[in-house]
């Protein structure tokens, strides 16, 4: 991309009064993409704080290993696969945006969201199983961390689903190409949520 | 060379915006900046009133404070906590970071607005909600949180120890709002500066104010995450009875101390950097000289940002941390003084050989330097682990950090307000009142906090509601009373500024576009700049920001962009 | 800044003087820099005021000046390290090395008071241990090993005259030591906000000669046994 082309400033609606600016960023990046990377950077620090705290406390409390064994490893593994599939769909969808295939874009977004909801459903099933066993966030350090970390992650999933939903509803009024960048950004965020899970899963389920 | 040909529609000004979209849910960076300014001013009234109550109780224990009543110990604890939280998160952050970043960054880099105006609006409203939550905690049953602004658990993690539950939850939520809002804001400033600079605004032509605001945003950005994680844990402890930080439930209070200070130390630079940035820009303008060592300063700032993440444990020398860790953290603390020393000396070198115009904003900056210096020097006492054995937790610490924070927030911040006010409102502030404001603030500030060094050296500990209970502190009654009277005068002095504001906004002389013959881009825009800032064409930057007194030129300044009428 | 050291409380422990000398050293250095830098700042502002016919010098930072700045900064770093070097052995004495002590006392903090527990005759902190509420008696000249622990929140054990300070953490036992050089009564305060009663969480340090101390401990013991016997 030419360094000197003027880009529409992201975050504006097309009818917005504000005009264009001069793009001075790195070649190939849009403000939106830069923004999402910045957001992810700040999220990484947040999760680093969370994971770091967990690891620290885990080292102090060797007894947690025993409690980790009470987690539903099957559900956890299944959920990892579900998220992976969901990401695959989102990638497909982003691609359809670029190639201007509206049907596919929408279809894959719906699949992505379905997989997201399946993930949340399985998570809820896991939670209910744990509650049934009398394991609550208040049942000791390990469980506090488990519920906090998976809970925060689930909030991120919800946020991602909301972003995808917004995108989906936009495709009804706007041409796909003008949304391609936004789809790309949403996809990046969705992969990030996936990556967090990839770290979360072994930390909680496998380090038993 | 590209310019945006589409331009700004000329009918934009006639386009009547409704009151709500203009003043309340505005996405214009200048309006959002002013909203942050107003919010910080309102919160400063709360914070200042609490400072008065604290000082009153310390100097005249067990006598009812005028306009309030008796400050009982539980109220005292709540008041110091609110004072600290308000001053840092709802005065310091909005006033030094959010307000200038919003108002100045797009103007100084030649953009029309922030990269994400809606996110920007959201970030203001999140701060606003946080402020409302914090203030409302005063009125809930059980009262506001009373565990100190550092919120050490177990005290702050369970109502069992203070009887405060709702107040504690509101406090954490307010903290979380402030952290999230500043992170979103920081992201916005960074992306804006990266992607929306005017043609020709290369990295080494960016004014110092922008650089330092960005340094501040980055420092915040990478230190807030762990504390947000900690805030979640604290919230769960308070609201749902988990035990992340409660040893009785297998938790670890030191974990919070680490998370808090990993954020807390960088935070003092978050508040210090903007003041340095304003200082450098204002100095260049009024010394009519280029900033000395532009690149050197940037390198120093970068290394200070990096080092700021590895000094936090110097706040925890007495916390039961392994004593062997004192040495490495003392060393990093010494190392971080290097870049700051160099920056301050570069400021001195900028003054040297200048043709200094002793105007008001410049004098505020000199006040900033003169007082901050004391904060920096007294920091050496506390950075020495062995001296800290005695000084930790005494009034010496209170004096020290007020000598760092107050200069940044008040001297640096007011320097910026006096300097950029004509650009913000198109009016000039009254100079005489401004001088009076400065002189009295300077005198009473020192009057308030200088005695506290002595009191602290005498061993008087902070956060006690009733010094009269301690016979050994009776000897400091005189100093304490003096400090309190000064503090009351200091707070009262700020009324001069409000008066000036009202007077100048209504009757002040119209400001010119560029009243100081300054180079940076914002002075090319109208005062105040219209929506979109630049009219149909963007400025094209052709020179460095500080080309003052260039030999052989007719005038002693050279605007950064020459394609627009100045 | 110079005169504030006069406010320091008297020196009770053998290391109080060392800590004070670190304070004095820092005070001297920062005092010199304070006068020098503030003076230079005022000089610069006055000396380089705008005058008719004189323009500012157009300079971006020539090598010589930058070298000056770096050299000056190096001096500061050197002095900083000197301070830390001087302080390091004091820190090691007070905080790192626990010497062989004559006596161990457990200091228990809770909202909002202090209890000092002395071992029974066999040196145990069992049921026969002797506890003293808000009164800390120690024999003069002896090295006292204190084990700090809290029952609820974080407190801080501060003996200003001894120049000893340490946070008291819940459910942890932190080892500190001090000695005393003069008979008398001194102060103990809590230096970490610990709740609404924090402001009155004090205790008294009694430094007794050996005889008085022994008598006091014996009477305490008797009192306590009488108490449990009833
Ligand atoms: C009118 C000016 C001010 C006065 C008179 C004042 C007074 C005080 C006093 C006496 C304390 C100590 C309370 C104690 O330890 O017993 C205190 C604490 C504090 N102040 Fe200020 N202050 C002022 C302005 C500021 C400003 C501008 C800031 C920061 C931007 C600030 C930040 C703090 C913080 C963080 C604390 C610690 C609170 C705590 O102990 O939890 N203050 N202030
Ligand atoms: Cu620090
Ligand atoms: Cu206390």
């Amino acid at each position: 991309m030419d360094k000197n082309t003027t880009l529409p400033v992201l975050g504006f609606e097309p009818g917005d009064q504000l005009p264009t600016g001069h793009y001075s960023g790195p070649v190939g990046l849009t403000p939106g993409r830069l923004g999402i990377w910045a957001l992810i950077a700040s999220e990484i620090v947040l999760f680093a704080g969370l994971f770091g705290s967990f690891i620290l406390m885990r080292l102090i409390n060797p007894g947690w290993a025993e409690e980790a064994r009470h987690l539903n490893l099957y559900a956890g593994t299944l959920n990892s696969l579900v998220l992976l599939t969901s990401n695959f769909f989102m990638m497909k969808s982003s691609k359809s945006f670029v190639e201007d295939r509206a049907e596919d874009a929408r279809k894959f977004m719906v699949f992505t969201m379905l997989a997201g909801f399946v993930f949340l459903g399985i998570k809820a099933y896991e939670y209910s199983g744990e509650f049934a066993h009398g394991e609550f966030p208040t049942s000791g350090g390990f469980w506090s961390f488990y519920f906090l970390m998976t809970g925060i992650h689930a909030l991120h999933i919800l946020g991602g689903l909301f972003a995808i939903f917004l995108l989906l509803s936009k495709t009804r009024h706007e041409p796909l190409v003008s949304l391609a960048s936004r789809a790309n950004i949403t996809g990046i965020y969705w992969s990030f949520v996936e990556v967090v899970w990839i770290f979360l899963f072994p930390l909680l389920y496998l380090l038993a | 060379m590209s310019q945006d040909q589409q331009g700004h529609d000329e009918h934009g000004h006639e386009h009547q915006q409704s009151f709500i979209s203009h003043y309340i849910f505005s996405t214009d960076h200048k309006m959002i900046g002013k909203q942050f300014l107003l919010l910080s001013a309102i919160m400063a009234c709360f914070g200042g009133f609490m400072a008065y109550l604290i000082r009153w109780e310390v100097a005249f224990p067990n006598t009812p404070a005028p306009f309030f009543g008796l400050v009982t110990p539980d109220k005292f604890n709540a008041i110091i906590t609110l004072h600290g939280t308000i001053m840092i998160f709802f005065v310091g952050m909005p006033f030094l970071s959010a307000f200038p970043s919003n108002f100045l960054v797009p103007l100084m880099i030649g953009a029309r607005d922030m990269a994400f105006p809606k996110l920007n609006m959201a970030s203001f409203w999140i701060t606003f909600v946080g402020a409302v939550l914090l203030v409302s905690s005063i009125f809930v049953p059980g009262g506001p949180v009373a565990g100190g602004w550092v919120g050490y658990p177990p005290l702050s993690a369970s109502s069992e120890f203070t009887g405060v539950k709702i107040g504690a939850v509101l406090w954490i939520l307010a903290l979380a709002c402030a952290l999230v809002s500043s992170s979103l804001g920081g992201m916005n400033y960074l992306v804006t500066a990266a992607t929306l600079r005017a043609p020709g605004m290369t990295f080494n032509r960016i004014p110092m104010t922008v650089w330092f605001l960005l340094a501040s945003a980055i420092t915040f950005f990478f230190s807030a995450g762990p504390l947000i994680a900690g805030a979640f844990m604290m919230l769960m402890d308070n609201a749902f009875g988990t035990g992340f930080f409660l040893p009785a439930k297998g938790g670890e209070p030191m974990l919070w101390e680490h998370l808090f200070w990993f954020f807390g130390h960088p935070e003092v630079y978050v508040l210090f950097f903007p003041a340095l940035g304003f200082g450098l820009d204002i100095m260049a303008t009024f010394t009519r000289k280029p900033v000395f060592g532009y690149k050197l300063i940037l390198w120093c700032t970068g290394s200070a940002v990096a080092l700021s993440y590895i000094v936090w444990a110097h706040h925890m020398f007495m916390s039961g941390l392994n004593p062997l860790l004192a040495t490495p953290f003392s060393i990093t603390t010494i190392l971080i003084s290097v870049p700051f020393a160099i920056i301050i000396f570069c400021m001195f070198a900028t003054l040297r050989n200048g043709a200094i115009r002793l105007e008001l904003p410049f004098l505020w900056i000199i006040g900033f330097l003169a007082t901050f210096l004391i904060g920096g020097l007294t920091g050496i006492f506390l950075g020495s682990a062995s001296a800290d054995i005695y000084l930790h937790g005494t009034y010496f610490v209170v004096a020290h950090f007020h000598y760092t924070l107050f200069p940044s927030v008040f001297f640096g911040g007011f320097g910026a307000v006096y300097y950029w006010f004509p650009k913000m409102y198109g009016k000039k502030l009254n100079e005489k009142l401004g001088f009076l404001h400065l002189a009295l603030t300077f005198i009473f500030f020192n009057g308030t906090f200088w005695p506290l060094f002595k009191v602290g050296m005498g061993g008087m500990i902070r956060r006690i509601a009733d010094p009269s209970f301690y016979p050994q502190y009776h000897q400091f009654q005189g100093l304490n009373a003096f400090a309190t009277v000064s503090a009351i005068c200091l707070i009262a002095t700020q009324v001069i500024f409000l008066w000036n504001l009202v007077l100048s906004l209504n009757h002040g002389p119209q400001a010119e576009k560029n009243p100081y013959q300054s180079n940076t881009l914002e002075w090319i825009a109208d005062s105040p700049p219209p929506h979109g800032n630049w009219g149909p064409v963007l400025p094209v930057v052709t020179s460095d920001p500080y080309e003052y007194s260039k030999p052989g030129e007719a005038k002693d300044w050279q605007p950064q962009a020459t394609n627009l009428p100045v | 800044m110079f005169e504030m050291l006069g406010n320091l409380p008297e020196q009770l422990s053998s290391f109080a003087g060392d800590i004070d000398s670190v304070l004095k050293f820092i005070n001297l250095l920062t005092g010199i820099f304070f006068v020098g830098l503030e003076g230079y700042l005022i000089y610069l502002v006055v000396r380089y005021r705008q005058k008719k016919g004189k323009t500012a010098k157009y300079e971006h930072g020539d090598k010589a000046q930058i070298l000056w700045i770096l050299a000056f900064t190096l001096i500061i770093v050197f002095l900083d390290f000197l301070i830390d070097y001087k302080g390091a052995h004091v820190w090691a004495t007070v905080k790192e090395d626990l010497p062989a002590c004559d006596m161990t006392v457990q200091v228990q903090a809770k909202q909002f008071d202090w209890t000092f527990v002395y071992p029974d005759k066999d040196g145990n902190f069992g049921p026969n241990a002797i506890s003293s509420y808000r009164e800390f008696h120690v024999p003069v000249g002896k090295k006292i090993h204190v084990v700090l622990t809290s029952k609820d929140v974080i407190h801080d054990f501060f003996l200003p005259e001894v120049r000893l300070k340490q946070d008291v953490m819940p459910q942890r036992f932190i080892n500190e030591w001090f000695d005393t050089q003069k008979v008398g009564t001194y102060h103990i305060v809590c230096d970490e906000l610990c709740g609404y009663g924090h402001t009155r969480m004090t205790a008294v340090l009694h430094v007794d000669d050996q005889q008085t101390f022994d008598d006091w401990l014996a009477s305490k013991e008797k009192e306590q046994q009488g108490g449990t016997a009833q």
Side-chain angles (χ1 to χ4, degrees), chain B residues 77 161 288-289 292-293 318 320 323 330 338 345 353 356 370 389-390 392-393 454 463 466 470 547-548, chain C residues 3 7 9 38 48 50 56-60 72 77 84 91 111 165-167 172 191 195 198-200:
Chain B
N77 291 351
F161 304 114
R288 316 307 292 164
K289 266 191 70 188
F292 185 93
M318 298 306 127
S330 291
V338 173
F345 292 144
N353 293 328
I356 298 174
I389 297 178
Y390 179 66
H392 179 89
K454 297 188 185 185
R463 292 171 168 171
D466 183 5
Y470 297 72
E547 295 294 275
Y548 293 105
Chain C
E3 67 293 21
N7 283 343
E38 298 282 3
Y48 293 105
Q50 194 170 41
K57 192 168 163 199
Y58 179 77
E59 57 180 3
H60 289 90
F72 201 59
V77 174
D84 261 26
W91 176 261
Q111 286 180 323
K165 182 178 291 143
Q166 175 60 49
D167 280 2
R172 263 181 67 188
D191 197 5
H198 166 66
T199 178
R200 304 214 159 166

Side-chain angles (χ1 to χ4, degrees), chain B residues 62 73-74 77 80 146-148 152-155 161-162 247-248 252-254 257 287-294 296 317-321 323-324 326-327 330-331 334-335 337-338 341-342 345-346 348-349 351-358 362 366 369-371 373-374 377-378 380-381 383-394 396 450 453-455 457-459 461-466 469-470 472-473 475-476 479 546-551, chain C residues 1-9 15 19-20 22-24 26-31 33-38 40-41 44-51 54-62 65-66 68-70 72-73 76-78 80-84 86-88 90-91 94-96 111-112 134 151-154 156 158-161 163-172 174 187-202:
Chain B
N62 305 322
D74 51 335
N77 291 351
I80 58 170
Y152 278 7
L155 186 66
F161 304 114
T162 49
E252 178 53 66
M254 291 275 274
E257 294 189 26
T287 53
R288 316 307 292 164
K289 266 191 70 188
V291 161
F292 185 93
Y294 179 93
L296 181 64
F317 285 149
M318 298 306 127
S319 68
L321 197 68
L324 295 176
T327 312
S330 291
I331 290 174
I334 289 176
L335 290 181
S337 69
V338 173
I342 296 179
F345 292 144
C346 284
F348 278 43
L351 294 176
R352 198 164 162 263
N353 293 328
I356 298 174
R357 298 186 191 163
L358 290 177
F362 178 80
I366 296 302
L369 272 185
T371 45
L373 211 63
I374 299 172
L377 286 172
T378 50
I380 297 176
F381 286 81
S384 155
S386 49
D388 197 43
I389 297 178
Y390 179 66
L391 292 175
H392 179 89
T394 63
F396 191 91
W450 187 272
F453 282 124
K454 297 188 185 185
V455 170
M457 214 22 120
I461 57 176
R462 59 191 277 214
R463 292 171 168 171
I464 45 168
D466 183 5
F469 182 72
Y470 297 72
Q472 68 268 36
Y473 301 153
Q475 50 173 319
F476 305 129
L479 284 173
Y546 304 115
E547 295 294 275
Y548 293 105
S549 305
K550 198 167 179 181
Chain C
M1 250 179 269
F2 297 103
E3 67 293 21
M4 67 186 167
L5 288 179
N7 283 343
L8 283 169
F15 52 74
I19 289 188
D20 288 2
V22 174
L23 288 172
K24 277 189 195 116
I26 301 175
N27 196 46
L28 178 72
L29 289 181
T30 53
F33 274 84
F34 170 68
V35 174
L37 290 175
E38 298 282 3
Y40 189 49
L41 182 63
L44 285 174
V45 173
V46 175
R47 163 78 176 74
Y48 293 105
R49 297 187 317 289
Q50 194 170 41
K51 287 173 208 127
K54 274 199 89 172
T55 49
K57 192 168 163 199
Y58 179 77
E59 57 180 3
H60 289 90
D62 59 85
Q65 272 197 73
I66 287 184
W68 265 107
I69 288 180
L70 293 183
F72 201 59
T73 308
I76 293 181
V77 174
F78 170 75
D80 271 346
F81 273 110
L82 198 64
I83 290 171
D84 261 26
K86 254 183 91 84
V90 186
W91 176 261
V94 183
K95 291 279 176 180
E96 283 173 15
Q111 286 180 323
F112 300 96
R134 286 200 163 196
K151 292 197 167 141
D152 37 45
V153 301
I154 303 178
D156 186 285
F158 180 27
L159 312 179
E161 289 88 358
R163 311 279 191 275
L164 178 67
K165 182 178 291 143
Q166 175 60 49
D167 280 2
V168 185
M169 305 298 286
Q171 304 202 358
R172 263 181 67 188
I174 297 176
H187 303 101
I188 300 175
V189 297
C190 172
D191 197 5
E192 183 60 62
L193 184 63
C194 58
Y196 73 91
H198 166 66
T199 178
R200 304 214 159 166
M201 186 167 160
T202 58

Side-chain angles (χ1 to χ4, degrees), chain C residues 107-109 113-116 133-134 156-157 189-190 201-203:
Chain C
V107 180
Q108 295 175 350
D113 46 47
W114 301 98
T115 307
F116 302 91
Y133 174 73
R134 286 200 163 196
D156 186 285
F157 185 61
V189 297
C190 172
M201 186 167 160
T202 58

Side-chain angles (χ1 to χ4, degrees), chain B residues 1 79 86 125 218 225 251 274 281 342 380 394 413 431 447 480 550:
Chain B
M1 186 64 42
I79 288 168
I86 287 177
W125 286 104
I218 291 176
D281 261 304
I342 296 179
I380 297 176
T394 63
E431 290 249 324
N480 270 326
K550 198 167 179 181

Side-chain angles (χ1 to χ4, degrees), chain A residues 154-186:
Chain A
L155 284 181
H156 279 80
I157 296 265
L158 274 178
L161 286 176
F162 185 63
I164 297 171
F165 173 75
L166 284 185
L167 184 63
L168 184 64
S169 59
K170 283 221 182 238
T171 54
R172 301 222 307 223
H173 312 294
E174 281 177 53
L176 279 203
V177 265
S178 73
L179 289 170
S181 165
R182 186 165 171 157
N184 177 283
I185 290 166
T186 315

